[in-house]
Amino acid sequence: MTEQSRDEQLKAFGRLLDIMDTLREKCPWDRKQTNESLRANTIEETYELCEAITENNDADIKKELGDLLLHIVFYARIGSEKGAFDIADVCNAICEKLIYRHPHVFGTAQADSAATVEKSWEELKLKERGGNKTVLAGVPRALPALVKAYRIQDKARNVGFDWDKRTDVWKKVHEELNEFEAEAENGDRDKMEGEFGDLIFSLINAGRLYKINPENALERTNLKFIRRFNYIENQLDRQQKSFRESTLDEMDALWDEAKKKGL
């Protein structure tokens, strides 16, 4: 498609704002909503966008971006009603932040690599008035644990706390695996959980060092497992057999079939 002009883009955004104002004034459901009532739906919409991105479905990405944009406009309208902020404040705040954190674009600083930009970004965040007081303060507590671990490690890297050579991480992975196995032998579930967490953390670190996003990698494996497991189930249905009526060897054979078929 042909990209629309900036005037057309602004007109479309203004139309959305007008529709939001009308809904807030005239629709009983929209008028009833609060930040708290919208929160769960916002999380759901975010995950739906992530799913569309994972599937590389441009039509769904467009749709889910619209749903998420609606929520942003909704929160801004509620903020305006409270006299706290409006959508212009939201836009101006992020504009000022972007300008401040990109001195190599809008100022005189130099940055010759993405890594340099990331390091500068974290340093500038610490200097901002009302910004993060510590390096890890900007990691949301509500993030899923796997994503949080990656963000923690990435932020630590940006201030120089990282392995000198990425291959050194494997020593840590093996160390954590051995410690988990030792606790598994002892049978102390609390210590097992702690060591298992350390093992996962070290594997996430390995993924980061090798430029692999662990969330994307794990989701890729989840989807692969679903495809192959569904194949097993479908083949058993054709044989008019249930899982309980099948042996593990039979199911493993069907799994290998699915694998050979590229599922």
Side-chain angles (χ1 to χ4, degrees):
M1 62 163 283
T2 303
E3 184 177 357
Q4 300 183 62
S5 69
R6 180 53 54 90
D7 284 343
E8 290 171 320
Q9 294 171 358
L10 293 173
K11 183 179 178 181
F13 188 62
R15 182 184 178 206
L16 175 59
L17 295 178
D18 290 341
I19 291 172
M20 182 72 257
D21 289 344
T22 301
L23 291 175
R24 190 66 173 171
E25 292 164 6
K26 297 183 178 180
C27 174
W29 186 89
D30 289 284
R31 192 165 54 237
K32 182 181 178 182
Q33 300 313 303
T34 64
N35 286 339
E36 291 73 21
S37 69
L38 291 172
R39 178 179 176 275
N41 286 338
T42 305
I43 295 171
E44 183 178 339
E45 297 295 356
T46 303
Y47 277 108
E48 288 177 357
L49 172 60
C50 291
E51 182 176 347
I53 293 171
T54 299
E55 295 175 353
N56 197 28
N57 187 321
D58 287 336
D60 282 351
I61 291 173
K62 179 184 72 173
K63 172 183 174 294
E64 300 304 339
L65 281 171
D67 291 342
L68 199 55
L69 180 58
L70 170 62
H71 279 244
I72 293 170
V73 169
F74 213 144
Y75 288 119
R77 167 69 196 219
I78 293 172
S80 177
E81 292 169 359
K82 293 163 61 178
F85 60 86
D86 62 14
I87 192 66
D89 294 316
V90 174
C91 292
N92 285 327
I94 188 61
C95 287
E96 293 302 322
K97 179 186 291 186
L98 289 172
I99 291 170
Y100 175 74
R101 293 189 186 173
H102 290 80
H104 55 287
V105 176
F106 300 103
T108 58
Q110 299 293 317
D112 55 5
S113 69
T116 303
V117 173
E118 290 177 7
K119 182 178 180 182
S120 172
W121 182 280
E122 294 299 333
E123 292 173 349
L124 289 168
K125 284 174 72 173
L126 291 173
K127 295 177 182 177
E128 285 177 0
R129 186 178 67 178
N132 300 328
K133 303 303 181 186
T134 64
V135 172
L136 301 181
V139 180
R141 288 178 294 175
L143 278 179
L146 190 148
V147 179
K148 186 188 295 185
Y150 186 88
R151 292 295 293 131
I152 288 170
Q153 295 167 3
D154 202 41
K155 283 183 173 293
R157 173 186 68 85
N158 286 336
V159 294
F161 190 73
D162 204 1
W163 303 95
D164 289 328
K165 295 187 297 182
R166 66 182 183 179
T167 52
D168 290 342
V169 74
W170 297 115
K171 297 176 183 177
K172 187 63 175 176
V173 171
H174 291 303
E175 174 189 323
E176 298 297 353
L177 177 59
N178 290 335
E179 290 178 359
F180 171 73
E181 289 178 335
E183 294 303 338
E185 286 289 327
N186 294 333
D188 187 320
R189 297 198 63 82
D190 183 64
K191 290 182 178 179
M192 284 169 60
E193 182 178 281
E195 294 300 340
F196 194 69
D198 291 346
L199 174 59
I200 294 173
F201 194 86
S202 65
L203 284 170
I204 292 170
N205 225 343
R208 177 185 62 80
L209 288 163
Y210 283 85
K211 309 299 182 185
I212 296 171
N213 185 296
E215 173 71 19
N216 295 342
L218 182 58
E219 180 61 6
R220 183 175 178 177
T221 297
N222 288 339
L223 295 175
K224 179 170 61 180
F225 184 93
I226 290 170
R227 291 193 301 270
R228 293 179 182 175
F229 192 82
N230 286 344
Y231 179 85
I232 295 172
E233 191 169 15
N234 290 335
Q235 293 304 307
L236 290 178
D237 284 343
R238 288 186 179 183
Q239 299 171 23
Q240 297 184 326
K241 294 176 67 175
S242 68
F243 282 105
R244 292 182 182 278
E245 295 169 331
S246 307
T247 66
L248 181 58
D249 286 341
E250 290 172 330
M251 288 186 280
D252 279 340
L254 290 172
W255 178 276
D256 289 338
E257 281 183 23
K259 190 174 182 179
K260 288 178 182 178
K261 290 177 179 289
L263 297 178

